[in-house]
Amino acid sequence: MSVGKEYIGLDVHQETIAIAIADDGVDREVRYFGTIANRPEALHAALKKIGQDGSELRVCYESGPCGFVIYRFLAKIGVHCMVISPSSMARRQGDKVKTDRRDAQTLARPLRAGELVAVWVPDEAHEAVRDVVRARRQVKYDLGSAKSALKSFLLRHGRRFTGKAIWGKAHWGWLSEQKFAFPHQQFAFEEYKRRIHDLMDRCDRLDEVLKEAVAGWVLSPLVYALQALRGVKLTAAVTLVAEIGDLRRFDSPRQLMAWLGLVPAEHSSGKRIKRGEITRSGNAAARTMLIESAWHYRFPAREGRGLMERRTEIPEHVRAIACKAQVRLCAKFRSLAASGKQTVKVVTAVARELAGFVWDIARHTPAIAVEAQQ
């Protein structure tokens, strides 16, 4: 006698989990089990009750702010689980009712039909490096906001720096000379500066922690190999690896480009073909880092001192890929710019092709034991 299967959709929130069950058989109605507390023991008890007849359990839930705690817990107790991207779920345009019950049922039904595709789930060590990367990115964002706030304060009072480069030594010297009529106004000005210094110190500390984390990471060979590319230093390389994860799960560079959201959107019908801006459907942090790196290819191809130092201990075949990338992408940047394309479009096109070279370097980096969830 064959054992049946139960397909379980979980709508996960901070305090609760709504559970829906789709029994084996496409004609059977999806039933609602109920809502439980978002606690491991409560989930374990519910799954034991659902599978008390010996059925094989298959669970899925959407990735979100609760992370992969449930996935790792279910893996520990031997229950098959998929984590899916919310953007991959089909939504009916006319459906204006959204409840936890419906969301759970909407997950269970396509899970039974085999229509869901799992996201890649990092192991705990990988997620730890990603947490440092995201903490640093948040501090850099806060630092930019703090600098903008100080610039706005100075502009309101007609204080303009006449030098060429702001936030350099000359600019900070000019800031230290600024005096205001009222003591409390001067205090506010000093607080703006103090916040910037504090955030700069935090960013420096996180940079040091990031270097230490990469040194003992299983993916460190790939991080160092990617630095052979022009415009990809340590921060950019570790961000790409931490956010993308196991690059070997992509069968072609086009798959990686599409996952990053760097391919054009398309709305074609019949003989009409219409392509728009990039989809932006993938990981925003990795996509942004590639676009920032692509700006370096606006200059002629050359090997500067910093790039030579980064390539010192990188294998020859990886350096060959990086040299090919630099020659090709610099030429592409010049060609597209000369044809009259907007600069932002040129940079995006170069970033898309740069993603292909990132994929190629990952493919030629010695195999690394990374657990991938397909």
Side-chain angles (χ1 to χ4, degrees), residues 122-355:
D123 58 25
E124 293 182 352
H126 190 116
E127 192 170 22
V129 176
R130 183 187 289 180
D131 286 339
V132 179
V133 169
R134 292 180 176 179
R136 183 191 180 277
R137 187 164 65 249
Q138 182 62 52
V139 172
K140 292 291 285 186
Y141 177 82
D142 294 341
L143 179 59
S145 298
K147 289 180 176 180
S148 295
L150 178 57
K151 287 166 65 178
S152 298
F153 177 85
L154 293 169
L155 185 60
R156 287 197 304 271
H157 296 284
R159 310 292 177 93
R160 292 178 175 82
F161 179 61
T162 57
K164 293 184 179 180
I166 61 172
W167 310 118
K169 185 176 180 181
H171 184 238
W172 279 111
W174 176 80
L175 288 174
S176 65
E177 297 171 357
Q178 301 306 302
K179 305 297 180 184
F180 293 89
F182 299 95
H184 45 276
Q185 193 176 43
Q186 186 70 35
F187 180 83
F189 173 65
E190 297 298 331
E191 283 298 307
Y192 279 121
K193 292 195 298 180
R194 187 175 296 111
R195 182 174 179 234
I196 293 174
H197 284 301
D198 290 343
L199 288 169
M200 291 172 65
D201 291 340
R202 286 175 58 189
C203 193
D204 290 341
R205 291 195 297 269
L206 285 168
D207 283 339
E208 291 301 319
V209 171
L210 194 59
K211 291 178 183 178
E212 295 175 4
V214 170
W217 192 22
V218 68
L219 286 173
S220 60
L222 179 55
V223 172
Y224 295 130
L226 289 180
Q227 292 181 66
L229 291 167
R230 182 175 182 174
V232 181
K233 296 182 181 179
L234 177 64
T235 302
V238 71
T239 299
L240 290 173
V241 177
E243 295 292 349
I244 299 174
D246 183 12
L247 280 90
R248 294 174 301 160
R249 72 185 191 274
F250 300 103
D251 296 329
S252 69
R254 290 184 179 273
Q255 286 187 1
L256 175 59
M257 295 171 192
W259 185 86
L260 289 166
L262 284 169
V263 296
E266 183 172 351
H267 186 78
S268 301
S269 180
K271 295 182 179 180
R272 182 176 64 87
I273 299 176
K274 182 180 179 181
R275 294 186 177 91
E277 60 183 16
I278 59 174
T279 62
R280 294 184 175 87
S281 60
N283 187 283
R287 183 173 61 251
T288 301
M289 193 58 66
L290 280 170
I291 289 175
E292 289 180 359
S293 298
W295 280 98
H296 290 78
Y297 294 92
R298 68 189 186 276
F299 302 113
R302 69 182 183 87
E303 191 175 27
R305 181 182 298 177
L307 187 57
M308 291 178 60
E309 292 176 353
R310 296 202 304 272
R311 290 179 175 178
T312 303
E313 299 181 1
I314 294 177
E316 180 61 34
H317 64 281
V318 174
R319 293 206 301 269
I321 295 172
C323 290
K324 179 182 176 182
Q326 180 171 191
V327 173
R328 180 181 176 87
L329 296 180
C330 289
K332 186 181 185 72
F333 202 111
R334 290 197 307 273
S335 174
L336 292 176
S339 67
K341 295 284 187 183
Q342 293 181 353
T343 305
V344 291
K345 292 184 177 180
V346 174
V347 172
T348 302
V350 172
R352 179 167 54 247
E353 200 155 330
L354 178 59

Side-chain angles (χ1 to χ4, degrees), residues 10-19 32 34-39 42-43 66 70 100:
L10 305 180
D11 186 43
V12 180
H13 297 275
Q14 180 178 347
E15 298 296 336
T16 61
I17 300 175
I19 304 177
Y32 183 60
T35 301
I36 63 172
N38 189 352
R39 302 290 183 271
L43 180 59
C66 293
I70 291 176
D100 294 349

